[in-house]
């Protein structure tokens, strides 16, 4: 479904001496993401995970290389492709002056969803994500887990075929994290393709059919969690990660 070919992203970077140099955040990346799979992206901070998501969702333009959705290049079909995707960002970015329902209403209007239909979608999504009682609550008053679920609701309002989740469970307690895991698995069963970056290696092992491990912008491993464990003689994906990156935690 998604083809990434020779993808490069270079940024100007200010070093300790306050001089600008060039930093390669994504370095000649090649990979394919299959339809209806949960695809995980792992790597230490600075590995290029979020930059990759921003490139795939057209928030950034590549320095060089190509991205294709169903064989269509993004630079020629961006408007069409944007309607296919939903994005759950790493950071909370709601309008803080609006309540839950109003935030979803605003997002639905941006996609041109007709009034009666968007009201039904908002109601259905809030019930599905167990936020039905919060429709009139200001988003400031929501817990961290509720805000994460609301980000997912917002991303699903236009029924995207592809969902990007950039560290969707960061800083959440284990119970809320597992609830979001169930939601992700349910979305896949309903036909969505999901691309997930995660701070938690166990999350990738639990959810993902395949994982890509990045290091300084380069792809250093790509396979199913099971195959990676067999290849590197590891008991679990965390051991594989440690062997390849030299770091236990991703933070």
């Amino acid at each position: 479904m998604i083809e990434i070919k020779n993808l490069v992203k270079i940024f100007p970077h200010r070093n300790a001496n306050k001089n600008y140099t060039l930093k390669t955040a994504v370095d000649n990346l090649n990979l394919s993401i299959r339809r209806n799979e949960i695809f995980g992206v792992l790597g230490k901070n600075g590995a290029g995970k979020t930059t990759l998501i921003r490139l795939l969702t057209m928030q950034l333009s590549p320095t060089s290389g190509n991205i294709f959705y169903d064989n269509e290049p993004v630079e020629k079909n961006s408007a069409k492709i944007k309607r296919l995707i939903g994005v759950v960002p790493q950071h909370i970015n709601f309008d803080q002056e609006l309540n839950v329902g109003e935030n979803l209403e605003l997002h639905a209007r941006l996609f041109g969803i007709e009034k009666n239909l968007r009201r039904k979608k908002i109601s259905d999504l809030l019930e599905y994500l167990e936020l039905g009682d919060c429709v009139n609550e200001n988003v400031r008053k929501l817990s961290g887990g509720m805000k994460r679920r609301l980000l997912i609701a917002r991303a699903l309002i236009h029924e995207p075929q592809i969902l990007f989740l950039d560290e969707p469970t960061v800083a959440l307690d284990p119970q809320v994290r597992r609830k979001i895991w169930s939601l992700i698995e349910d979305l896949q069963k309903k036909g969505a393709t999901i691309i997930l970056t995660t701070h938690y290696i166990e999350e990738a092992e639990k959810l993902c059919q395949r994982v890509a491990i990045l290091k300084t912008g380069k792809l250093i491993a790509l396979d199913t969690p099971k195959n990676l464990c067999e290849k590197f003689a590891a008991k679990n994906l965390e051991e594989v990660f440690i062997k390849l990156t030299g770091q236990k935690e991703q933070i």
Side-chain angles (χ1 to χ4, degrees), residues 187-205:
L187 290 169
Q188 187 209 18
K189 290 175 184 175
K190 292 180 177 180
T193 301
I194 297 167
I195 296 91
L196 169 75
T197 77
T198 179
H199 167 78
Y200 303 105
I201 299 172
E202 61 170 329
E203 187 164 84
E205 191 161 33

Side-chain angles (χ1 to χ4, degrees), residues 52-114:
L52 175 59
I53 294 296
R54 295 183 70 192
L55 288 164
L56 291 173
T57 55
M58 288 155 283
Q59 298 173 68
L60 290 174
S61 298
T63 302
S64 62
N66 300 100
I67 301 168
F68 300 88
Y69 282 76
D70 286 336
N71 298 315
E72 295 189 11
V74 294
E75 66 271 16
K76 294 183 179 179
N77 299 280
S78 60
K80 176 183 176 182
I81 292 169
K82 283 178 180 178
R83 299 194 69 86
L84 300 178
I85 66 176
V87 183
V88 178
Q90 183 177 347
H91 301 291
I92 305 297
N93 61 354
F94 299 115
D95 188 319
Q96 299 294 309
E97 302 306 316
L98 302 181
N99 65 31
V100 167
E102 289 167 343
N103 266 281
L104 294 182
E105 173 86 10
L106 174 62
H107 201 69
R109 287 188 178 203
L110 292 174
F111 279 94
I113 300 172
E114 183 270 330

Side-chain angles (χ1 to χ4, degrees), residues 176-195:
V176 176
R177 196 183 310 152
R178 287 182 173 81
K179 182 171 288 190
I180 291 179
W181 290 359
S182 295
L183 290 171
I184 292 170
E185 290 174 325
D186 190 39
L187 290 169
Q188 187 209 18
K189 290 175 184 175
K190 292 180 177 180
T193 301
I194 297 167
I195 296 91

